[in-house]
Amino acid sequence: MKKFKEIPDKVTFNTKKEDILNKIKLILKNKGFDKSDPHYYMQLNYNLSTLQRAEYLLEIINHFKKLNFADKKVLDVACGTGGIAIVCAKKKADVTALDLDKDSIELAKFMAKKEKVKIKFIIEDVFKEKFDRNFDIIFSIDSLEHINAEKFIFVFKNHIKPGGYLILKVNNKLFPYDPHTQKYLIHLLPVKTIDSLLKKYYWNFFRTYKS
């Protein structure tokens, strides 16, 4: 398999994991997680790697289409803890980031401050926010499976500039795990992998999506 080429303007991060560890623990506590919860450390590790996962995703995108983010207007819809938004901002993009979850936005703002980037964060439902501008690039990462995907595409295609990009990512065979529910997507896994996981974990680590 051909290896992915590294992004030419690959960024470095100022945020150290220990800097955000306590912030994430507080957010998890606010969400009702505690250390006795079997998913606590999954969520902890997932959120700690927000920036690195975003950088890797852009590296994959760069493999297929090289995008110049400098001075581009970027919208990150359902931005979560802001990984994509922050990485794009570090690449000199003019970024707006939207999410309904105030705790996730709180962590995103914390990391954006550490990374010394300016991002317009909005706490609102994706279908209720009215945008007064169009964007060169719109991201929606791991969110379409939780909302009305057809309505989403209909709404946001009207906010893309001519020649712009709508970049979507959903759970798939390369990453068959839903970080929101902390469950593997059993219908995307090989049988041998399922057997191995069933021996190690409980049934509630799995879920399926209706097609």
Side-chain angles (χ1 to χ4, degrees):
M1 180 181 291
K2 185 179 178 181
K3 292 184 177 179
F4 295 128
K5 295 180 180 179
E6 289 193 355
I7 303 175
D9 58 338
K10 192 167 184 175
V11 301
T12 56
F13 300 115
N14 303 317
T15 310
K16 297 179 180 179
K17 288 190 175 181
E18 54 267 28
D19 291 339
I20 62 173
L21 183 60
N22 290 332
K23 191 74 172 179
I24 295 174
K25 287 181 177 179
L26 178 60
I27 289 174
L28 291 178
K29 183 179 179 180
N30 291 340
K31 288 178 174 293
F33 289 92
D34 60 49
K35 292 183 179 180
S36 64
D37 190 315
H39 303 305
Y40 177 86
Y41 292 99
M42 288 185 184
Q43 284 290 304
L44 195 65
N45 290 328
Y46 184 80
N47 285 288
L48 275 172
S49 61
T50 293
L51 298 176
Q52 288 73 24
R53 283 185 288 104
E55 175 72 3
Y56 181 63
L57 177 58
L58 291 185
E59 189 172 331
I60 294 175
I61 293 171
N62 182 71
H63 179 74
F64 297 99
K65 180 66 179 180
K66 293 183 179 180
L67 298 176
N68 177 20
F69 289 92
D71 300 320
K72 294 293 191 296
K73 291 180 172 58
V74 173
L75 173 64
D76 187 5
V77 183
C79 67
T81 51
I84 289 291
I86 292 170
V87 173
C88 288
K90 287 181 75 71
K91 294 177 181 293
K92 310 303 181 183
D94 178 2
V95 182
T96 300
L98 170 73
D99 201 281
L100 185 61
D101 187 77
K102 64 179 183 180
D103 292 324
S104 294
I105 291 292
E106 182 182 348
L107 178 57
K109 287 182 176 180
F110 180 83
M111 290 193 292
K113 184 177 180 180
K114 288 285 186 180
E115 296 299 327
K116 300 179 181 179
V117 294
K118 292 184 178 180
I119 298 171
K120 180 181 179 181
F121 287 105
I122 302 172
I123 302 175
E124 184 56 277
D125 186 296
V126 297
F127 297 126
K128 292 182 179 179
E129 178 65 22
K130 303 299 182 182
F131 297 101
D132 58 358
R133 65 195 300 189
N134 289 335
F135 299 88
D136 298 292
I137 305 170
I138 297 179
F139 286 94
S140 179
I141 308 301
D142 295 332
S143 61
L144 286 188
E145 59 267 36
H146 303 286
I147 60 178
N148 186 321
E150 185 176 356
K151 182 179 179 181
F152 174 92
I153 294 174
F154 177 79
V155 170
F156 284 96
K157 71 181 179 65
N158 295 319
H159 289 294
I160 302 175
K161 291 182 178 181
Y165 298 90
L166 175 60
I167 300 176
L168 310 173
K169 174 185 172 295
V170 295
N171 297 306
N172 54 73
K173 290 184 179 180
L174 294 177
F175 189 71
Y177 179 78
D178 181 7
H180 304 90
T181 59
Q182 305 88 50
K183 290 179 170 61
Y184 292 97
L185 306 176
I186 193 169
H187 65 293
L188 296 179
L189 295 171
V191 174
K192 289 184 179 180
T193 303
I194 295 172
D195 289 341
S196 175
L197 289 168
L198 286 176
K199 292 176 182 178
K200 187 174 182 180
Y201 298 120
Y202 297 107
W203 274 103
N204 67 351
F205 272 71
F206 299 87
R207 72 171 295 179
T208 59
Y209 284 119
K210 293 181 180 179
S211 59

